[in-house]
Amino acid sequence: MRPITLEMSAFGPFASTQTVDFSALGSNPLFLINGPTGAGKTTLLDAICFALYGKTTGDEREGSQMRCDLAQDSLLTEVTFSFALGEKQYRIRRVPEQQRAKKSGDGYTVQKPEAQLYRIDSDGTEHLLVASKVSEATAEIEALTGLDADQFRQVMVLPQGKFRELLMADSKDREKIFSQLFQTQIYRKIEDKLKFQAAAIKNEVRDHRNKRDGMLANIELESDDALHNELTLLEPKLAQALEAKEQAKLGLIDANKQFESAKLLVSDFDALDTLQQVAVQLQEHKTVIAQRQLQFESGQKALQLKPVLDVSLARETEAAQAETSLTQVKGAKQLTEQALTQSQAQFDTLPEQELQLQKVQNSEQTLTQLVPQLQGLDGLQKALTEATIARDQAKEKGIKEKASLEKLSTEKLAAEQLIPQLEQVAAEQVNAQQAVTAQLDLIERYGQWQQAGNDASQTEQALLGVMEKGQQLRARFIEAQTSNKQLQLVWHRGQAANLALQLNPGQPCPVCGSSEHPHPAQSAEQLPTEEELQQAQRNEELANEALNKAKSEYSGLKTKHQEQLKRVEELLQRIGDSSAQSIESLQLQLQQLQLQLNQASGAAQQLTQLRSQIQGWQAAERELQVKLDAERERFQALQDQASSLKGQVDQACAAIPEQYRSLDALNGAIEQVRAQVTAFSQGINTIRQSHTKALEQDSAQSAAVAAAQASQTQAREQSDKALSELNQQLASLGFADKQALIEALLSSEALSEIANELAQYQQDCTANQTTLTQLNEKLSGLSKPDMAEFETRLESIQAEQQAAENAWQSLQSRVTQLMQTQKQLKEADAKAKTLEDEYAVIGTLSEVANGQTGNKISLQRFVLSVLLDDVLLEASHRLQLMSKGRYRLLRKEERAKGNKASGLELEVEDAYTSKVRPVATLSGGESFMAALSMALGLSDVVQAYAGGIKLDTLFIDEGFGSLDQDSLDLAVRTLMDLQSSGRMIGVISHVSEMKEQIGTRLDINKSAVGSEVSIVLP
């Protein structure tokens, strides 16, 4: 990957938008990133790493924490990075989560994180790969570069304080880094595939064995032989049980036949008893049937007279209705006579009411003539009212405008008096801003000094802890070593006694050859076993390994502590006498300075506002004076108009009565008179109509009375005639009177029901007698059997049959279960044999590929160890040059202790001592040279393999300060050689010699308003 351009806005210490054009540095530049502490040198690398992965190089700050406090609210924090991968170019823009000013209104809103990724063709055409989702952009970058954020920081960006991580990574972490760089995941997949297949086969074999044991456990047997023996024993027993079951079944069939015959005979005797009881019940019901016969005959006679009865009842009803109608008509005639009397009295008052109507009509005409005069008066009064209101409003407006003018003049005068005082306060704004910036820088350095001191204290405590731990581990090692030597001594002493125990009389001694053994050796102590000896040896090795690890840890912490103390001293010199003060005191001074700055800024802003307001007040004062003059003229005109209208109103009021000078009052009087006219007219018409109607209703009721009397006489005659005819018919059919006829009447349904009842009784008597005769003949000479005896015998035979069935079923179930189990066991044995044969191949391959044999090196780790050897060859070549032939990096080939994976650990060969020791024992400067050599060697080897990742850019942040002058020259020469091979190298360093040797620079200029980037070319 090769950077092209980097654009940062409000990012870190960069308050504005800064653009770095890497292409302007040359095709394969070696350049220096230079600037004071806190200017933003490392921020350049943070910006590149953030644009690609959303993380900074040190991973100590989130993207949301990179917002520049000095940036304007309108400027969004974002980073845009253009880079090339081979022949293809890409551009990524990333925005962190941040507070931004609202587009409308006051206040702030949360800007969500977003990212866009583009691919750029050679003709400049852009293709959007990711629209906005940050996770998708990160995944796409990882796919394009083949590196995640951690790997990018380790092989392309060596951040501040991170040099030793690549060098000191353990075997597991180094395997993860190298597998991604060399794309060896296919070997890991082979390992996992073989391991999964072997585990699956092994589990399946175990499951088959468990299943086979479960089969035998289900039948409560322990072996196949026990199964075979039980089957041989059960076969004759099963045949005997089958024969006994069949015999019991035949006996049960014969007993069932006898039981059913006896059951049918008992049923016939029971039916005979029932028929005899029914015959007795029919005889007892005979009297009721006779009564029902008489009722049926009377109902039939009454049905013949029903038409005559209906006619008589109808005539009686008509006569009663005619009588009632006559009574109602007579009552109505009395009411009409009373209404006619009342109507005549009202009719006699008509002449007087007609005279009153004429008077009211004359009053209406007089009032109507006053309407036109009053309308003219109303118009004059409205005009007068409007003129008066307009005059009063003009007067009030003039008063308000005069008050506004006076208030405006007062405010303008007070503001003019404040200007000299505000000018004096605002003049201190520039000095206050400089003081605040200086104090902020001091507090920042003070905080760094305190943090460095805390870090040094923590490291010192850790040193004490490691020292104490080392003493304990040394004591454990001595104890384990002493125990192992004692066991070895006891074991050697006891070998003669072991040989003596194996001697036999007459046989030669394997040591001296003698066939006589008068004094065989004996051991007074119990000899240790082989396992105890091995365990003691392992304990000594583990204790030694833990002790060496503690020594390495102590050496690393001591180097770190020295560097931290040096850092504390540098920061103390920079803050000077301020170290005697507390951070609270410095912050209090900052608050006071900020208060002065705020006061000066507020005064300057208030001064500008006051001057603008004074100009506005002067213009408003002139405008108000013009308006006040116009309002005075308008008030005088309205005053004259109101006086003229007042005279016209007084003249019109003299011609109209006072109570009618309001149009509403006049219209109300007219409406009232008209209502009286209408009321009198309607009352007269109502009296005349009511009198006419009363005469007509009285005449109609007189005619109705006469008609009702005639209808009543005719209805009574017809009712008497119908009653006479009904009495004659009753006597002829034997009924005493009309009531007896009504009681004998039955409906057609009731007569039909009685007839059916009589017929059914006759039919039941006949059927009962016939069936009774047949059963007496059938049962003649027979007796009723005892069913209890038959049931007892049947139950006994059924129990015998069920016992035989159960015995056979039990044997049959057991034999079937055993035979099925025998078949399943054979199938399981065949399947288990196949799986065991398969595991013999797959299991062995899995153990070898996953490092479970020999030196415990997995397939992928073996491949990576070969690749690591290539990396170490290149790295050692550069390291030997930078260390003047002293150091060479090696891969540790010995197997790790315990079950720990091995094969990728690193060691360093020291030519001065001719010894190999852990890389952790290197000093800070030596570690930097080794880490740099590793990174450069890794870059060479990765690119050498087909399909590998092209690492043609390297950024190095600090570390050169730990080198002496000769080592520094060698390191710079190494970087120049690397540059000449076609790579871009960027170095961040405070070392002045680096600035002299590297002419191409990116200078970071720090100021109170933010940092800026500039390119310096030789």
Side-chain angles (χ1 to χ4, degrees), residues 415 419-420 422-423 604-618:
I419 287 178
L422 292 175
E423 287 177 343
Q605 184 178 3
Q606 187 178 1
L607 181 62
T608 303
Q609 293 176 351
L610 276 179
R611 288 172 176 170
S612 177
Q613 286 179 351
I614 288 173
Q615 294 177 357
W617 286 335
Q618 290 173 349

Side-chain angles (χ1 to χ4, degrees), residues 350-379:
L350 284 180
E352 182 180 353
Q353 292 187 15
E354 289 175 349
L355 181 60
Q356 292 178 353
L357 175 61
Q358 184 63 38
K359 292 180 180 179
V360 174
Q361 287 175 342
N362 293 335
S363 298
E364 179 186 5
Q365 183 177 5
T366 301
L367 293 173
T368 303
Q369 292 174 356
L370 292 177
V371 172
Q373 300 177 19
L374 187 59
Q375 287 177 344
L377 177 60
D378 187 57

Side-chain angles (χ1 to χ4, degrees), residues 241-262:
L242 179 62
E243 183 179 358
K245 184 190 76 165
E246 295 298 332
Q247 292 178 356
K249 185 177 180 180
L250 293 175
L252 179 61
I253 292 173
D254 183 59
N256 276 328
K257 290 181 179 179
Q258 295 178 8
F259 180 77
E260 291 299 327
S261 298

Side-chain angles (χ1 to χ4, degrees), residues 950-970:
K950 186 172 179 63
L951 304 177
D952 48 7
T953 301
L954 182 65
F955 290 97
I956 304 173
D957 189 356
E958 294 298 348
F960 292 93
S962 59
L963 304 180
D964 56 25
Q965 184 60 45
D966 292 340
S967 299
L968 178 62
D969 293 339
L970 291 173

Side-chain angles (χ1 to χ4, degrees), residues 473-489:
L473 290 175
R474 179 179 295 277
R476 292 178 185 175
F477 169 69
I478 294 173
E479 180 181 356
Q481 188 179 46
T482 303
S483 176
N484 184 29
K485 289 180 179 180
Q486 290 176 351
L487 286 177
Q488 292 288 343
L489 180 60

Side-chain angles (χ1 to χ4, degrees), residues 907-924:
E907 294 179 323
V908 61
E909 183 183 50
D910 190 343
Y912 289 3
T913 62
S914 299
K915 292 184 179 180
V916 176
R917 51 192 172 93
V919 292
T921 59
L922 293 174
S923 66

Side-chain angles (χ1 to χ4, degrees), residues 158-171:
L158 293 180
Q160 198 173 53
K162 301 292 183 180
F163 300 110
R164 294 168 58 89
E165 285 191 3
L166 179 63
L167 184 67
M168 303 301 175
D170 60 17
S171 185

